[in-house]
Amino acid sequence: MPSFVPTSADTLEDQRLYTSARLVEVACLDCLARVGVKKNSEHHTSIQWTAEARGHCPELNRRTGGRDFQPACRRLVASIEAAARDGQVPIGAEDGY
Amino acid sequence: MESSTRMLDHGTPPERFARGWHCLGLADSFRDGTPHRVEAFGGQLVVWEDTQGNLNVLDGYCRHMGGDLTQGTVKGDEIACPFHDWRWGGDGKCKQIPYARRVPLRARTQRYPVVIRNDQLLVWHDVEGSEPDLEILPPVLPGLDEGLYTPWTWEVVPITDSHCRELIDNVVDMAHFYYVHFSFPTSFRNVFEGTVATQYMESKGRPDKAGGYGSPDLFLKSEATYFGPAYMINWLEVDYKGFETEVVLINCHIPTGPDSFTLQYGITVKKPEGIDDDTAAYISKKYAKMFGEGFLQDVHIWKNKVPVQNPLLCEEDGPVYQLRRWYEQFYVDRADVQPEMVDRFEFEVDTTKANEYWQEEVAENLRLRAEQEASGEAPEGADDAENPQIMSGT
């Protein structure tokens, strides 16, 4: 069976919950990037960038594409860890999101 | 029915096929002077090599009276229709109608721009008819042209009753690697950005499903990236009892209809130092067989599941919604691509709880097996010897 477009309004609410609920803004300690962060546990991390934030990251902008394009920026990762330690990012999930 | 009952939203099918580069197969497989038929995008394509060595791809049906060009003949640089011998060039124009005084000016058919990349024939598909976007081609694999890798083994598997998004969903599906492919994913990350989506995974084989490559001695480091909607390169570092092999798996597909696609996968192995070509080719074939069986495990699930537009997730699941949001960019007009479809997104799954549970389950399975063996019964899972123990990317 094929699939794609939601046929229920509840699905739109699910999309919102899973993609944007609980995102907390975290500023990078080394550049002007500000990203949305969610942590369901100490080890789980979700990072939502915007085009504006992406434009600020010198580390990612240095990458040339192909295979080395995707790995995380270590400075941002360190900034998120610091924010989590400071209690700025709550740790723990709601109902699976 | 209680209002709190969770309902499955099956959604409605997309009305188009994805925009992007699609791989039709190994380029050399089309170089024999005959027309080849490739089912694609709800119809069929004709592929042939001209006298210059270029590969050409056109819609498979003649614009005159609908003759099947794939059953025609290559004449010079053109494909000739078996019905009335109309001759079509690789640029999509009718070059000659031998029985006619002149060719109608409007005699142009659908052509698909092609690129040869990593020995494979890629075509550009876009319902909006845009120029091919060379910027988003999959990267060239270093060392391939220099002969550092074994020749490709290449397999083609038609899949019916499933939309190709089922295949894409695997990019974020951490837990199925344990249940469907019998491995422990110990580390699992995703990054999506622009037209690229990656899964990083580290895993090891399940000892309770041992056989073949399955073993607690087997470790796998995998980096699997979709370059566009239909072409994945999976870089794999396999460590088996300290013997390291570098494997490259291509996992690509061509949509053929609203709920069918053709899966193709290719394997090449970096020739280990001190190993002759025949042995390297043998290793490559072994891996191809293993991944082939892995795909069949997926196919069995796809064929029997229902589509679900509103998956219900737990904390240990990957970012299905974000991946689908990324994937949707290929199904809307360029002008309708939203920032959130292409904005960078990173995700790391916490595999701790899952692996604690799985280790216990596997330990229990091993204990039961030992008991059965001690009592002389055939151990359960003895027929699992054929199952691949490592699977990645999909």
Side-chain angles (χ1 to χ4, degrees):
Chain A
M1 282 169 78
S3 69
F4 241 79
V5 180
T7 50
S8 156
D10 292 343
T11 300
L12 298 175
E13 175 58 7
D14 279 332
Q15 286 175 346
R16 190 194 68 77
L17 279 182
Y18 288 114
T19 59
S20 53
R22 298 189 51 237
L23 285 177
V24 174
E25 193 178 78
V26 171
C28 180
L29 299 172
D30 286 293
C31 77
L32 295 173
R34 304 175 80 84
V35 297
V37 174
K38 181 172 90 171
K39 283 185 84 68
N40 287 349
S41 73
E42 213 142 288
H43 198 66
H44 165 275
T45 313
S46 189
I47 309 172
Q48 179 64 61
W49 292 71
T50 60
E52 194 195 344
R54 183 65 176 75
H56 285 310
C57 181
E59 167 62 28
L60 294 180
N61 289 335
R62 205 175 297 130
R63 311 252 176 101
T64 49
R67 218 182 145 178
D68 83 329
F69 182 60
Q70 296 262 290
C73 168
R74 288 171 186 281
R75 290 170 181 176
L76 180 69
V77 169
S79 305
I80 291 170
E81 282 169 4
R85 270 198 308 275
D86 295 350
Q88 201 187 320
V89 179
I91 294 175
E94 294 282 331
D95 191 27
Y97 61 87
Chain B
M1 196 175 305
E2 285 181 54
S3 63
S4 58
T5 304
R6 179 84 181 176
M7 304 301 287
L8 284 173
D9 180 357
H10 297 309
T12 58
E15 288 169 358
R16 62 168 78 178
F17 299 102
R19 169 181 50 249
W21 292 101
H22 292 76
C23 173
L24 302 187
L26 288 178
D28 281 352
S29 67
F30 301 104
R31 299 188 189 280
D32 61 357
T34 68
H36 292 257
R37 174 179 186 272
V38 179
E39 202 183 341
F41 314 122
Q44 66 173 24
L45 312 178
V46 59
V47 185
W48 81 97
E49 183 185 34
D50 62 27
T51 61
Q52 316 299 310
N54 298 317
L55 291 175
N56 304 288
V57 181
L58 299 182
D59 183 84
Y61 295 105
C62 182
R63 293 303 190 255
H64 173 220
M65 292 288 282
D68 183 349
L69 294 175
T70 71
Q71 295 177 9
T73 313
V74 177
K75 295 182 178 171
D77 287 333
E78 291 132 27
I79 179 72
C81 181
F83 202 176
H84 306 91
D85 203 26
W86 284 37
R87 315 281 178 88
W88 297 90
D91 60 0
K93 290 182 193 164
C94 182
K95 304 291 185 186
Q96 198 191 345
I97 304 168
Y99 65 86
R101 221 171 255 119
R102 56 180 77 89
V103 175
L105 291 172
R106 290 175 295 153
R108 274 171 181 274
T109 187
Q110 176 71 47
R111 70 175 268 271
Y112 290 84
V114 306
V115 164
I116 311 286
R117 176 68 34 122
N118 300 325
D119 306 328
Q120 298 139 30
L121 174 63
L122 272 57
V123 297
W124 175 255
H125 172 265
D126 180 6
V127 288
E128 290 184 276
S130 68
E131 285 299 305
D133 189 343
L134 302 173
E135 296 285 307
I136 59 171
L137 271 168
V140 174
L141 292 169
L144 203 62
D145 286 346
E146 291 78 10
L148 301 180
Y149 288 79
T150 60
W152 293 101
T153 60
W154 199 265
E155 303 292 336
V156 179
V157 187
I159 311 281
T160 54
D161 308 315
S162 311
H163 189 274
C164 48
R165 197 180 61 176
E166 302 290 353
L167 174 65
I168 304 295
D169 277 349
N170 281 357
V171 168
V172 294
D173 194 341
M174 188 272 290
H176 98 290
F177 287 102
Y178 176 83
Y179 294 103
V180 180
H181 302 305
F182 308 135
S183 71
F184 293 113
T186 50
S187 165
F188 195 95
R189 293 180 50 233
N190 288 113
V191 178
F192 317 138
E193 182 171 1
T195 54
V196 173
T198 300
Q199 172 199 89
Y200 297 91
M201 180 169 66
E202 291 172 25
S203 63
K204 54 185 180 187
R206 270 175 70 170
D208 62 327
K209 297 280 181 183
Y213 288 86
S215 157
D217 297 321
L218 183 124
F219 293 89
L220 180 73
K221 216 174 150 183
S222 158
E223 182 182 328
T225 300
Y226 267 101
F227 295 94
Y231 187 95
M232 172 199 271
I233 302 180
N234 189 174
W235 289 274
L236 294 146
E237 289 171 32
V238 189
D239 180 329
Y240 183 63
K241 293 189 171 170
F243 183 75
E244 286 178 24
T245 314
E246 190 192 317
V247 181
V248 176
L249 165 72
I250 302 295
N251 160 21
C252 57
H253 65 272
I254 314 159
T256 51
D259 62 347
S260 62
F261 59 99
T262 305
L263 172 71
Q264 301 200 11
Y265 59 94
I267 299 265
T268 183
V269 172
K270 192 168 188 188
K271 297 174 190 168
E273 274 182 46
I275 285 191
D276 63 273
D277 281 7
D278 284 349
T279 310
Y282 174 79
I283 294 172
S284 170
K285 282 210 173 67
K286 277 293 232 189
Y287 280 116
K289 184 167 182 284
M290 194 165 65
F291 285 110
E293 286 165 359
F295 280 121
L296 294 182
Q297 293 169 329
D298 282 321
V299 169
H300 181 76
I301 297 283
W302 298 334
K303 274 179 130 35
N304 294 286
K305 76 184 287 295
V306 291
V308 50
Q309 195 64 36
N310 61 338
L312 180 62
L313 305 180
C314 67
E315 287 166 45
E316 278 67 26
D317 283 328
V320 182
Y321 285 85
Q322 287 87 347
L323 177 73
R324 290 178 170 189
R325 185 178 65 182
W326 170 84
Y327 188 56
E328 208 172 328
Q329 68 176 294
F330 307 112
Y331 288 85
V332 297
D333 285 355
R334 270 252 163 91
D336 295 329
V337 174
Q338 302 300 308
E340 63 265 25
M341 295 176 185
V342 292
D343 280 346
R344 184 177 175 93
F345 175 75
E346 302 176 40
F347 195 97
E348 175 151 14
V349 181
D350 188 343
T351 61
T352 319
K353 169 75 183 77
N355 277 285
E356 278 169 16
Y357 174 74
W358 290 337
Q359 294 289 355
E360 279 172 31
E361 187 174 70
V362 165
E364 178 64 7
N365 287 347
L366 291 172
R367 192 187 62 77
L368 286 172
R369 179 193 289 189
E371 254 180 38
Q372 283 175 328
E373 276 169 349
S375 66
E377 290 171 46
E380 204 180 312
D383 59 340
D384 285 334
E386 288 304 303
N387 285 325
Q389 307 304 304
I390 62 169
M391 189 69 193
S392 71
T394 65

